[in-house]
Amino acid sequence: MIPINNHYQKLQASYLFSDIARRVDAFQESHPGQPLIKLGIGDVTEPLPPACIAAFHRAVDEMADRRTFRGYGPDQGYEFLRQVIAEGDFRSRGAPVDADEIFVSDAAKCDSANIQEIFATDIRIAVPDPVYPVYVDTNVMAGRTGPWTNGRYEGLTYLEATADNGYVPALPSNPVDLIYLCYPNNPTGATLTREQLQTWVDYARENEAVILYDAAYEGFIRDESIPHSIYELEGAREVAIEFRSFSKNAGFTGIRCAFTVVPKALKARDGSGNAVDLHSIWARRHATKFNGVSYPVQRAAEAVYSTEGKIQTRQLTDFYLENAGLIRAAIESIGLSCVGGDNAPYIWIQTGGDSWDFFDRLLDKAGVVCTPGSGFGKCGEGCIRLSAFNSREAVVEAVERVKDTLAG
Ligand code: MLT
């Protein structure tokens, strides 16, 4: 028999959100007719902005006509989309990003999972704890960790984010080459100030490290002092790759569009110690392994940056933030501490005790699905995450059920 990649054997049994889905399915089977409210995985519920729908329809009509039909698109994504992204998301905020530094893709999840391929296997990696599990699992698969021991993989540096440090980890105390950061944070909803993020950029510059900055939730930032992009910070172009997504700000989870920025100034070294630019390496990888996002979807994404698109996506994120406010208020009213929900769609709640026990209790007694904090790492034990992505009606009902269950 052919041998497998043995590093897969080190992984925990299943991906966190698949595990939750399985438990929820099993619960529903054994409790038929019991209505559940899902505030677990961050999946949007509201329809696409009308500007995106109109652009999507127009592009489908173009595909129906020989004169405007399009086959394979450009490797990095259509210029029309990359130009509006560069202007709308970066240059308008003083972040120097050019259209040809942007790679359009189907997901920040996939890009943040795949990016590790372009680095050597023996690099030293730092990940936050709690953490979006994709960053960790993909490095396990690639053989960059030892076995799972006492709730952690050997060989990784864990950057602990807890209530004690305001969910902002300290800089690593041992040398690392690659650092994963996500702000506004998934899962805690915490944010970084400009000064805090500058500290990470300065650290990366001093230590020749690279930061992988996941900004998939930047559309939820309301406090204008919080940076939306790492490239707003001095020197970040030489040390950071940024991931963005249309999933949560414009409701694209079902139609798929995202992008990654790899600045041309970002260098690493080859086996002989020569400097190489990561932009060329990622371009090579992208061209070989990815076939692009469909033309109608890229047109729909372009519409996010139109005058109406900006207003409509803002209304969408406002809607989910209002949900988050309702959840936060309910949680605080029963005396539990929480963070997030003000500049992020996630609320991170300190429940104490075992996170999976709490998950089961909420499911069983309230019929509400949450995400157990321990699924995001050891530091998530004793916490749960509630997502603000649901209809208003469902959120209002869920918070009443949660209050009754926990207060009763
Ligand atoms: C989450 O719930 O953490 C997100 O939906 C995961 C994702 O976007 O892949």
Side-chain angles (χ1 to χ4, degrees), residues 192-210:
L192 282 189
T193 64
R194 212 166 281 278
E195 294 68 32
Q196 286 167 325
L197 186 53
Q198 187 69 59
T199 313
W200 286 93
V201 171
D202 294 346
Y203 171 91
R205 290 173 69 85
E206 278 155 31
N207 294 276
E208 299 192 334
V210 168

Side-chain angles (χ1 to χ4, degrees), residues 330 333-336 361 399-408:
S333 77
I334 50 174
L336 291 178
R361 186 170 159 212
V399 297
E400 285 313 312
R401 293 197 205 169
V402 169
K403 280 200 292 192
D404 285 351
T405 302
L406 300 184

Side-chain angles (χ1 to χ4, degrees), residues 15 17 40-42 109 132 186 217 248 346 385:
Y15 182 58
F17 293 107
I41 191 166
K109 174 180 178 178
Y132 180 42
N186 181 12
Y217 298 93
K248 314 291 161 99
Y346 298 125
R385 189 193 78 174

Side-chain angles (χ1 to χ4, degrees), residues 47-58 303 306 308-309 312-313 315-316:
L48 295 173
C52 299
I53 295 169
F56 209 168
H57 278 298
R58 280 194 303 273
S306 64
E308 317 78 66
Q312 293 160 2
T313 48
Q315 285 167 345
L316 211 45

Side-chain angles (χ1 to χ4, degrees), residues 224-273:
E224 270 313 307
S225 68
I226 296 171
H228 288 240
S229 164
I230 195 166
Y231 304 118
E232 291 173 42
L233 283 301
E234 191 66 38
R237 280 180 57 79
E238 284 90 45
V239 293
I241 291 174
E242 182 165 309
F243 306 100
R244 289 284 189 100
S245 170
F246 295 99
S247 284
K248 314 291 161 99
N249 63 340
F252 274 43
T253 56
I255 60 168
R256 318 297 321 146
C257 196
F259 61 92
T260 289
V261 180
V262 188
K264 292 193 171 164
L266 178 56
K267 308 278 183 217
R269 62 178 166 77
D270 67 13
S272 319

Side-chain angles (χ1 to χ4, degrees), residues 301-314:
E302 180 193 22
V304 166
Y305 299 89
S306 64
T307 308
E308 317 78 66
K310 281 186 202 155
I311 295 168
Q312 293 160 2
T313 48
R314 176 78 180 203

